[in-house]
Amino acid sequence: MLWLCAGLLILVFAPTIFWLIERWTMSVWHNGHGILVALLVIYLVWGELKKRKNLPRSANPWGFAILLPALAAHMLDTGMHTQLLSAAALFLALPGLALLFLGTERSKAIIFPLATLFLTLPIPLVFTESIHMTLRIIATKSVAWLLKLFGIPVYSYGTVLQVENGVLQVADACSGFSTLYAAITIAILTAYFCNSIRRRIVLLLIAAPLAVGVNIVRVLVLTLLVNWFGLDVLKTSAHEISGLMTFMIALPIIFIIGQNPPETPLAEN
């Protein structure tokens, strides 16, 4: 029954799943963290269920109280065609299925990873426009200050940087929002499974500044390349590679900080 319901769920939500994958893989700068977080959630759920494989099988009918509203929201979205509501309904249906087929104890163990899937939902630009602009201004002002510190002539206004060989605009794609969204999501997940309270606090405090700082470095490097080689450098793969590097630098740092400290063996008498 579990596999049958899982198959039916995939069939019902297939258009939504394809839409999510399309959004997650559209660009490094737009919800690029989504597929990474989804795979991480699958791994964490599998690990938590493996630890509890010896628990007696049980079913909690309260799962219907979660599953039925989720299916109703999906039906509503078939008329609205937002796909976003349907995606939220998909993630809401998962805890309901867990209660029905895995029981209360197993569901408690995986409820938090499942809840973090909501942080992979694409956020409409109307809700993030002000955040994008704030991040763009922070990146522009910071890079201008660093260039002057290095003795490189630069003129900045708004979100524009003017150097000797070209003029750059820090657009939404270079705001670092995607890296910020990814860093906060991964930090929350990592902190949940970290045993050290001090490390949890550090993770949650450092995620946003780390993401912003890494993006500032990225914009700085691109500006230096334009200053040395001209605007044509932005037409090369350097632009996309620099975007990937923000993830490759920020996320491993978060994972390293969130590692559980090694257990100290008890001293023998």
Side-chain angles (χ1 to χ4, degrees):
M1 286 296 295
L2 173 60
W3 290 108
L4 176 61
C5 287
L8 290 174
L9 188 73
I10 292 173
L11 183 62
V12 168
F13 285 96
T16 304
I17 294 172
F18 286 123
W19 178 80
L20 277 172
I21 294 174
E22 180 186 359
R23 289 298 182 274
W24 290 341
T25 58
M26 178 186 297
S27 169
V28 173
W29 306 290
H30 296 91
N31 305 294
H33 71 291
I35 196 163
L36 172 64
V37 173
L39 293 174
L40 180 59
V41 167
I42 292 173
Y43 171 76
L44 293 174
V45 168
W46 176 80
E48 291 300 307
L49 292 178
K50 188 177 180 180
K51 294 177 185 176
R52 294 161 176 81
K53 62 182 180 180
N54 294 326
L55 289 176
R57 292 188 175 274
S58 61
N60 190 332
W62 280 103
F64 285 112
I66 301 174
L67 182 60
L68 294 180
L71 293 176
H74 174 66
M75 292 175 62
L76 179 63
D77 193 61
T78 57
M80 298 172 60
H81 301 289
T82 68
Q83 293 292 2
L84 187 60
L85 177 60
S86 181
L90 170 62
F91 296 153
L92 181 61
L94 296 178
L97 288 174
L99 283 172
L100 287 173
F101 290 99
L102 301 178
T104 304
E105 294 303 318
R106 289 186 175 91
S107 297
K108 286 180 180 179
I110 64 174
I111 189 64
F112 187 83
L114 292 179
T116 57
L117 285 173
F118 284 95
L119 295 177
T120 67
L121 291 174
I123 303 176
L125 184 59
V126 66
F127 297 114
T128 61
E129 190 173 2
S130 60
I131 301 176
H132 277 282
M133 179 56 68
T134 301
L135 293 173
R136 289 168 62 189
I137 292 174
I138 291 174
T140 304
K141 300 303 181 185
S142 300
V143 170
W145 181 81
L146 288 170
L147 289 174
K148 291 176 182 178
L149 188 65
F150 297 154
I152 299 175
V154 59
Y155 174 69
S156 67
Y157 52 97
T159 59
V160 175
L161 291 165
Q162 183 174 353
V163 290
E164 183 178 355
N165 286 327
V167 178
L168 302 86
Q169 182 174 27
V170 182
D172 285 345
C174 297
S175 66
F177 177 78
S178 184
T179 307
L180 176 64
Y181 197 6
I184 292 175
T185 304
I186 297 298
I188 292 173
L189 264 174
T190 307
Y192 178 76
F193 289 98
C194 182
N195 296 331
S196 171
I197 296 179
R198 181 180 299 177
R199 286 175 180 261
R200 289 180 181 179
I201 295 173
V202 171
L203 275 172
L204 298 177
L205 291 178
I206 202 175
L210 176 63
V212 173
V214 169
N215 188 67
I216 290 172
V217 173
R218 175 198 173 212
V219 176
L220 174 63
V221 170
L222 289 175
T223 306
L224 288 173
L225 290 175
V226 170
N227 184 64
W228 295 332
F229 305 108
L231 286 171
D232 289 340
V233 74
L234 297 180
K235 300 178 182 178
T236 66
S237 59
H239 197 201
E240 292 187 359
I241 291 175
S242 66
L244 289 172
M245 289 300 295
T246 59
F247 289 95
M248 295 174 65
I249 294 173
L251 300 188
I253 291 176
I254 292 174
F255 282 127
I256 291 172
I257 295 175
Q259 286 182 348
N260 288 315
E263 296 182 0
T264 304
L266 297 175
E268 297 181 1
N269 293 329

Short mmCIF file of all heavy atoms in Angstrom, two decimals, residues 142-189:
data_model
loop_
_atom_site.label_atom_id
_atom_site.label_comp_id
_atom_site.label_asym_id
_atom_site.label_seq_id
_atom_site.Cartn_x
_atom_site.Cartn_y
_atom_site.Cartn_z
N SER A 142 30.41 47.62 -1.13
CA SER A 142 31.54 46.89 -0.56
C SER A 142 32.66 46.73 -1.57
O SER A 142 33.85 46.92 -1.24
CB SER A 142 31.07 45.51 -0.07
OG SER A 142 30.08 45.64 0.92
N VAL A 143 32.31 46.37 -2.82
CA VAL A 143 33.33 46.19 -3.85
C VAL A 143 34.01 47.52 -4.16
O VAL A 143 35.24 47.57 -4.34
CB VAL A 143 32.70 45.58 -5.11
CG1 VAL A 143 33.69 45.61 -6.28
CG2 VAL A 143 32.27 44.14 -4.84
N ALA A 144 33.24 48.60 -4.23
CA ALA A 144 33.83 49.92 -4.49
C ALA A 144 34.83 50.29 -3.39
O ALA A 144 35.92 50.80 -3.68
CB ALA A 144 32.72 50.97 -4.58
N TRP A 145 34.46 49.99 -2.14
CA TRP A 145 35.37 50.29 -1.02
C TRP A 145 36.65 49.45 -1.11
O TRP A 145 37.75 49.96 -0.88
CB TRP A 145 34.65 50.03 0.29
CG TRP A 145 35.48 50.31 1.51
CD1 TRP A 145 35.73 51.52 2.08
CD2 TRP A 145 36.21 49.34 2.28
NE1 TRP A 145 36.55 51.37 3.18
CE2 TRP A 145 36.87 50.04 3.32
CE3 TRP A 145 36.35 47.96 2.20
CZ2 TRP A 145 37.65 49.40 4.26
CZ3 TRP A 145 37.14 47.32 3.15
CH2 TRP A 145 37.78 48.03 4.16
N LEU A 146 36.50 48.18 -1.45
CA LEU A 146 37.68 47.30 -1.55
C LEU A 146 38.59 47.72 -2.70
O LEU A 146 39.83 47.69 -2.56
CB LEU A 146 37.21 45.85 -1.74
CG LEU A 146 36.58 45.18 -0.51
CD1 LEU A 146 35.95 43.85 -0.88
CD2 LEU A 146 37.62 44.99 0.59
N LEU A 147 38.00 48.09 -3.83
CA LEU A 147 38.82 48.51 -4.97
C LEU A 147 39.62 49.77 -4.62
O LEU A 147 40.80 49.88 -4.98
CB LEU A 147 37.93 48.76 -6.18
CG LEU A 147 37.32 47.52 -6.84
CD1 LEU A 147 36.36 47.92 -7.94
CD2 LEU A 147 38.40 46.60 -7.41
N LYS A 148 38.99 50.70 -3.95
CA LYS A 148 39.70 51.91 -3.53
C LYS A 148 40.80 51.57 -2.54
O LYS A 148 41.88 52.18 -2.55
CB LYS A 148 38.72 52.91 -2.92
CG LYS A 148 37.75 53.51 -3.93
CD LYS A 148 36.74 54.43 -3.27
CE LYS A 148 35.75 54.98 -4.28
NZ LYS A 148 34.72 55.84 -3.64
N LEU A 149 40.53 50.58 -1.69
CA LEU A 149 41.53 50.14 -0.72
C LEU A 149 42.75 49.56 -1.44
O LEU A 149 43.89 49.72 -0.99
CB LEU A 149 40.92 49.09 0.21
CG LEU A 149 41.75 48.64 1.41
CD1 LEU A 149 41.96 49.79 2.38
CD2 LEU A 149 41.09 47.47 2.13
N PHE A 150 42.51 48.88 -2.57
CA PHE A 150 43.59 48.31 -3.37
C PHE A 150 44.23 49.32 -4.31
O PHE A 150 45.17 49.00 -5.04
CB PHE A 150 43.07 47.13 -4.20
CG PHE A 150 42.56 45.99 -3.38
CD1 PHE A 150 41.60 45.13 -3.90
CD2 PHE A 150 43.03 45.76 -2.10
CE1 PHE A 150 41.12 44.07 -3.15
CE2 PHE A 150 42.55 44.71 -1.34
CZ PHE A 150 41.59 43.86 -1.86
N GLY A 151 43.74 50.55 -4.29
CA GLY A 151 44.31 51.58 -5.14
C GLY A 151 43.84 51.53 -6.59
O GLY A 151 44.49 52.08 -7.48
N ILE A 152 42.70 50.90 -6.84
CA ILE A 152 42.16 50.79 -8.20
C ILE A 152 41.07 51.84 -8.37
O ILE A 152 40.10 51.86 -7.60
CB ILE A 152 41.58 49.38 -8.45
CG1 ILE A 152 42.70 48.33 -8.32
CG2 ILE A 152 40.94 49.30 -9.83
CD1 ILE A 152 42.21 46.90 -8.43
N PRO A 153 41.20 52.70 -9.36
CA PRO A 153 40.18 53.75 -9.58
C PRO A 153 38.81 53.15 -9.88
O PRO A 153 38.69 52.26 -10.72
CB PRO A 153 40.72 54.53 -10.79
CG PRO A 153 42.18 54.20 -10.85
CD PRO A 153 42.31 52.81 -10.33
N VAL A 154 37.78 53.62 -9.21
CA VAL A 154 36.42 53.12 -9.42
C VAL A 154 35.44 54.21 -9.07
O VAL A 154 35.68 55.03 -8.17
CB VAL A 154 36.16 51.86 -8.55
CG1 VAL A 154 36.33 52.17 -7.08
CG2 VAL A 154 34.76 51.30 -8.81
N TYR A 155 34.36 54.23 -9.82
CA TYR A 155 33.27 55.15 -9.53
C TYR A 155 32.00 54.34 -9.42
O TYR A 155 31.69 53.54 -10.31
CB TYR A 155 33.14 56.19 -10.64
CG TYR A 155 31.94 57.10 -10.47
CD1 TYR A 155 31.90 58.04 -9.43
CD2 TYR A 155 30.87 57.03 -11.33
CE1 TYR A 155 30.81 58.87 -9.26
CE2 TYR A 155 29.76 57.86 -11.17
CZ TYR A 155 29.74 58.78 -10.14
OH TYR A 155 28.66 59.60 -9.97
N SER A 156 31.27 54.51 -8.33
CA SER A 156 30.05 53.73 -8.12
C SER A 156 28.87 54.65 -7.88
O SER A 156 29.00 55.70 -7.25
CB SER A 156 30.22 52.78 -6.92
OG SER A 156 30.32 53.51 -5.72
N TYR A 157 27.73 54.23 -8.40
CA TYR A 157 26.49 54.95 -8.16
C TYR A 157 25.35 53.94 -8.27
O TYR A 157 25.27 53.16 -9.21
CB TYR A 157 26.28 56.09 -9.16
CG TYR A 157 26.43 55.70 -10.60
CD1 TYR A 157 25.30 55.40 -11.39
CD2 TYR A 157 27.68 55.64 -11.20
CE1 TYR A 157 25.45 55.04 -12.72
CE2 TYR A 157 27.82 55.29 -12.54
CZ TYR A 157 26.70 54.99 -13.29
OH TYR A 157 26.84 54.63 -14.60
N GLY A 158 24.51 53.93 -7.23
CA GLY A 158 23.43 52.94 -7.20
C GLY A 158 23.99 51.54 -7.12
O GLY A 158 24.69 51.17 -6.18
N THR A 159 23.70 50.74 -8.15
CA THR A 159 24.23 49.37 -8.24
C THR A 159 25.17 49.23 -9.42
O THR A 159 25.32 48.15 -9.98
CB THR A 159 23.07 48.37 -8.37
OG1 THR A 159 22.30 48.67 -9.54
CG2 THR A 159 22.17 48.41 -7.15
N VAL A 160 25.80 50.33 -9.81
CA VAL A 160 26.70 50.35 -10.97
C VAL A 160 28.13 50.59 -10.50
O VAL A 160 28.39 51.43 -9.64
CB VAL A 160 26.28 51.43 -11.98
CG1 VAL A 160 27.29 51.53 -13.12
CG2 VAL A 160 24.89 51.13 -12.54
N LEU A 161 29.05 49.84 -11.08
CA LEU A 161 30.48 50.00 -10.83
C LEU A 161 31.17 50.35 -12.14
O LEU A 161 31.04 49.63 -13.13
CB LEU A 161 31.08 48.71 -10.26
CG LEU A 161 30.67 48.31 -8.85
CD1 LEU A 161 31.02 46.86 -8.58
CD2 LEU A 161 31.35 49.21 -7.82
N GLN A 162 31.89 51.47 -12.15
CA GLN A 162 32.60 51.90 -13.35
C GLN A 162 34.10 51.85 -13.08
O GLN A 162 34.61 52.54 -12.21
CB GLN A 162 32.19 53.31 -13.75
CG GLN A 162 32.86 53.79 -15.03
CD GLN A 162 32.33 55.15 -15.49
OE1 GLN A 162 31.38 55.66 -14.92
NE2 GLN A 162 32.94 55.71 -16.51
N VAL A 163 34.78 50.98 -13.84
CA VAL A 163 36.24 50.86 -13.74
C VAL A 163 36.85 51.26 -15.07
O VAL A 163 36.14 51.63 -16.02
CB VAL A 163 36.65 49.42 -13.35
CG1 VAL A 163 36.25 49.12 -11.92
CG2 VAL A 163 36.03 48.40 -14.29
N GLU A 164 38.14 51.14 -15.19
CA GLU A 164 38.85 51.66 -16.36
C GLU A 164 38.38 51.05 -17.67
O GLU A 164 38.19 51.75 -18.67
CB GLU A 164 40.36 51.41 -16.20
CG GLU A 164 41.20 51.98 -17.32
CD GLU A 164 42.68 51.76 -17.10
OE1 GLU A 164 43.05 51.24 -16.02
OE2 GLU A 164 43.46 52.10 -18.00
N ASN A 165 38.14 49.74 -17.69
CA ASN A 165 37.82 49.07 -18.95
C ASN A 165 36.35 48.69 -19.11
O ASN A 165 36.01 47.88 -19.96
CB ASN A 165 38.67 47.81 -19.11
CG ASN A 165 40.11 48.14 -19.46
OD1 ASN A 165 40.37 49.12 -20.14
ND2 ASN A 165 41.04 47.33 -18.97
N GLY A 166 35.48 49.26 -18.29
CA GLY A 166 34.08 48.92 -18.49
C GLY A 166 33.19 49.35 -17.33
O GLY A 166 33.68 49.77 -16.27
N VAL A 167 31.90 49.24 -17.58
CA VAL A 167 30.90 49.59 -16.58
C VAL A 167 30.06 48.34 -16.29
O VAL A 167 29.54 47.69 -17.21
CB VAL A 167 29.97 50.73 -17.07
CG1 VAL A 167 28.92 51.04 -16.03
CG2 VAL A 167 30.78 51.97 -17.39
N LEU A 168 29.95 47.98 -15.03
CA LEU A 168 29.20 46.80 -14.62
C LEU A 168 28.00 47.21 -13.79
O LEU A 168 28.08 48.14 -13.00
CB LEU A 168 30.06 45.85 -13.78
CG LEU A 168 31.35 45.29 -14.33
CD1 LEU A 168 32.49 46.25 -14.08
CD2 LEU A 168 31.65 43.96 -13.67
N GLN A 169 26.93 46.49 -13.96
CA GLN A 169 25.77 46.67 -13.10
C GLN A 169 25.55 45.39 -12.31
O GLN A 169 25.48 44.31 -12.88
CB GLN A 169 24.50 47.00 -13.89
CG GLN A 169 23.29 47.24 -12.98
CD GLN A 169 22.07 47.70 -13.73
OE1 GLN A 169 21.92 47.39 -14.90
NE2 GLN A 169 21.20 48.44 -13.06
N VAL A 170 25.45 45.52 -11.01
CA VAL A 170 25.19 44.38 -10.14
C VAL A 170 23.69 44.09 -10.23
O VAL A 170 22.88 44.73 -9.56
CB VAL A 170 25.62 44.65 -8.69
CG1 VAL A 170 25.36 43.42 -7.83
CG2 VAL A 170 27.08 45.04 -8.63
N ALA A 171 23.32 43.14 -11.07
CA ALA A 171 21.92 42.82 -11.31
C ALA A 171 21.41 41.84 -10.26
O ALA A 171 22.15 41.40 -9.37
CB ALA A 171 21.76 42.23 -12.71
N ASP A 172 20.13 41.48 -10.36
CA ASP A 172 19.53 40.55 -9.41
C ASP A 172 20.27 39.21 -9.38
O ASP A 172 20.41 38.59 -8.33
CB ASP A 172 18.05 40.30 -9.76
CG ASP A 172 17.18 41.48 -9.39
OD1 ASP A 172 17.63 42.35 -8.62
OD2 ASP A 172 16.03 41.55 -9.87
N ALA A 173 20.73 38.77 -10.57
CA ALA A 173 21.43 37.49 -10.64
C ALA A 173 22.73 37.52 -9.86
O ALA A 173 23.23 36.47 -9.44
CB ALA A 173 21.71 37.14 -12.11
N CYS A 174 23.29 38.71 -9.66
CA CYS A 174 24.55 38.84 -8.93
C CYS A 174 24.35 39.36 -7.52
O CYS A 174 25.32 39.72 -6.84
CB CYS A 174 25.51 39.76 -9.68
SG CYS A 174 26.01 39.15 -11.30
N SER A 175 23.10 39.41 -7.07
CA SER A 175 22.83 39.93 -5.74
C SER A 175 23.27 38.97 -4.64
O SER A 175 23.49 39.37 -3.50
CB SER A 175 21.34 40.23 -5.58
OG SER A 175 20.58 39.02 -5.63
N GLY A 176 23.35 37.68 -4.98
CA GLY A 176 23.72 36.68 -3.98
C GLY A 176 22.54 36.13 -3.22
O GLY A 176 22.71 35.38 -2.25
N PHE A 177 21.33 36.43 -3.68
CA PHE A 177 20.14 35.96 -2.97
C PHE A 177 20.05 34.44 -2.97
O PHE A 177 19.70 33.83 -1.96
CB PHE A 177 18.87 36.56 -3.59
CG PHE A 177 17.60 36.06 -2.94
CD1 PHE A 177 17.19 36.56 -1.72
CD2 PHE A 177 16.84 35.07 -3.54
CE1 PHE A 177 16.03 36.10 -1.11
CE2 PHE A 177 15.68 34.59 -2.95
CZ PHE A 177 15.27 35.12 -1.72
N SER A 178 20.36 33.82 -4.11
CA SER A 178 20.28 32.37 -4.19
C SER A 178 21.26 31.71 -3.21
O SER A 178 20.92 30.74 -2.54
CB SER A 178 20.58 31.89 -5.62
OG SER A 178 20.41 30.51 -5.73
N THR A 179 22.48 32.26 -3.14
CA THR A 179 23.45 31.73 -2.19
C THR A 179 22.99 31.95 -0.75
O THR A 179 23.15 31.08 0.11
CB THR A 179 24.82 32.42 -2.39
OG1 THR A 179 25.20 32.32 -3.77
CG2 THR A 179 25.89 31.76 -1.54
N LEU A 180 22.40 33.11 -0.49
CA LEU A 180 21.88 33.40 0.85
C LEU A 180 20.76 32.43 1.22
O LEU A 180 20.76 31.88 2.33
CB LEU A 180 21.36 34.84 0.88
CG LEU A 180 20.69 35.30 2.18
CD1 LEU A 180 21.70 35.31 3.32
CD2 LEU A 180 20.08 36.69 1.99
N TYR A 181 19.84 32.20 0.30
CA TYR A 181 18.72 31.29 0.53
C TYR A 181 19.25 29.88 0.79
O TYR A 181 18.81 29.18 1.72
CB TYR A 181 17.83 31.31 -0.71
CG TYR A 181 16.43 30.76 -0.53
CD1 TYR A 181 15.94 30.37 0.72
CD2 TYR A 181 15.58 30.62 -1.62
CE1 TYR A 181 14.66 29.87 0.87
CE2 TYR A 181 14.29 30.12 -1.48
CZ TYR A 181 13.84 29.75 -0.25
OH TYR A 181 12.57 29.25 -0.10
N ALA A 182 20.23 29.46 -0.01
CA ALA A 182 20.82 28.12 0.15
C ALA A 182 21.55 27.99 1.48
O ALA A 182 21.42 26.99 2.18
CB ALA A 182 21.75 27.83 -1.01
N ALA A 183 22.35 29.01 1.82
CA ALA A 183 23.15 28.95 3.04
C ALA A 183 22.26 28.86 4.28
O ALA A 183 22.53 28.09 5.20
CB ALA A 183 24.06 30.17 3.13
N ILE A 184 21.20 29.65 4.31
CA ILE A 184 20.30 29.64 5.46
C ILE A 184 19.59 28.28 5.56
O ILE A 184 19.46 27.71 6.65
CB ILE A 184 19.27 30.78 5.36
CG1 ILE A 184 19.98 32.13 5.52
CG2 ILE A 184 18.18 30.63 6.41
CD1 ILE A 184 19.09 33.34 5.31
N THR A 185 19.15 27.75 4.42
CA THR A 185 18.45 26.46 4.43
C THR A 185 19.37 25.34 4.90
O THR A 185 19.00 24.53 5.76
CB THR A 185 17.94 26.13 3.01
OG1 THR A 185 17.10 27.20 2.55
CG2 THR A 185 17.14 24.83 3.01
N ILE A 186 20.58 25.28 4.35
CA ILE A 186 21.54 24.25 4.74
C ILE A 186 21.95 24.41 6.19
O ILE A 186 22.13 23.43 6.93
CB ILE A 186 22.77 24.28 3.82
CG1 ILE A 186 22.38 23.96 2.38
CG2 ILE A 186 23.83 23.29 4.30
CD1 ILE A 186 21.80 22.59 2.17
N ALA A 187 22.09 25.67 6.65
CA ALA A 187 22.47 25.91 8.05
C ALA A 187 21.38 25.41 9.00
O ALA A 187 21.69 24.82 10.05
CB ALA A 187 22.71 27.40 8.27
N ILE A 188 20.12 25.62 8.65
CA ILE A 188 19.02 25.14 9.49
C ILE A 188 19.02 23.62 9.57
O ILE A 188 18.88 23.03 10.65
CB ILE A 188 17.68 25.67 8.95
CG1 ILE A 188 17.59 27.18 9.12
CG2 ILE A 188 16.51 24.98 9.65
CD1 ILE A 188 16.38 27.81 8.47
N LEU A 189 19.19 22.97 8.41
CA LEU A 189 19.22 21.51 8.39
C LEU A 189 20.41 20.97 9.18
O LEU A 189 20.28 20.03 9.97
CB LEU A 189 19.31 21.01 6.94
CG LEU A 189 18.00 20.61 6.25
CD1 LEU A 189 18.26 20.28 4.80
CD2 LEU A 189 17.34 19.45 6.95
#
